[in-house]
Amino acid sequence: MKKSQIFDQVMDMKKQIGELYEQLGELQGNLGDLLEENNRLKVENHHLRNHLQLVQDEEDASEDQAQTNQSPKKGNPPGEGYDNLARIYEEGFHICNLQFGSPRRDEDCIFCLELLTKKNGS
Ligand SMILES: [Zn+2]
């Protein structure tokens, strides 16, 4: 192999490494975005879990008081689930299908409200 060929190969590799390095930088950026998003979702999820647990605990407490004999079925009687949703909405979270669980930031959401009024009416 001639020296010039080796030199060419080295230049090629250098170029490839440069490109790979660029791609690596892009991936790193994407990864950063994903991690940020993941973190945000984690916090939100944590928040929601706490909230649901709170609601569930209150529900269990009132159920224990009201009745001890009934078979332990998981489903809520109609109306109770709605109360929970209404409460979650009041606490500032979406209950609509579009954005369920995400914070409302004190803004009313017509989809949530529609859901509430629909269930309320029937
Ligand atoms: Zn909503």
Side-chain angles (χ1 to χ4, degrees):
M1 191 183 278
K2 286 188 204 159
K3 275 183 186 169
S4 66
Q5 274 181 312
I6 296 177
F7 187 74
D8 282 349
Q9 277 193 342
V10 168
M11 288 307 283
D12 270 356
M13 284 178 72
K14 228 176 147 181
K15 196 176 147 214
Q16 283 176 25
I17 289 173
E19 285 169 359
L20 282 174
Y21 190 76
E22 227 169 83
Q23 285 178 29
L24 189 65
E26 271 174 42
L27 279 175
Q28 206 172 18
N30 290 343
L31 187 65
D33 288 348
L34 281 176
L35 286 176
E36 208 171 291
E37 170 84 357
N38 189 39
N39 206 36
R40 193 180 63 74
L41 288 174
K42 254 192 208 168
V43 170
E44 198 171 299
N45 193 28
H46 179 74
H47 197 80
L48 281 172
R49 272 178 196 279
N50 281 349
H51 194 75
L52 280 175
Q53 188 59 53
L54 206 75
V55 170
Q56 190 69 48
D57 286 348
E58 285 176 19
E59 206 173 273
D60 287 348
S62 63
E63 248 175 50
D64 286 347
Q65 283 180 347
Q67 49 178 7
T68 41
N69 286 346
Q70 275 203 356
S71 60
K73 60 171 181 178
K74 272 282 167 191
N76 293 328
E80 206 164 302
Y82 162 75
D83 286 344
N84 286 344
L85 283 180
R87 207 180 326 176
I88 290 172
Y89 183 78
E90 288 303 318
E91 297 277 341
F93 296 98
H94 282 280
I95 57 168
C96 59
N97 290 335
L98 295 176
Q99 302 185 68
F100 185 85
S102 53
R104 278 195 296 123
R105 297 186 188 84
D106 293 330
E107 293 167 12
D108 278 331
C109 167
I110 53 167
F111 301 107
C112 290
L113 289 176
E114 192 188 35
L115 198 72
L116 286 174
T117 51
K118 206 195 293 177
K119 295 232 180 174
N120 221 1
S122 61

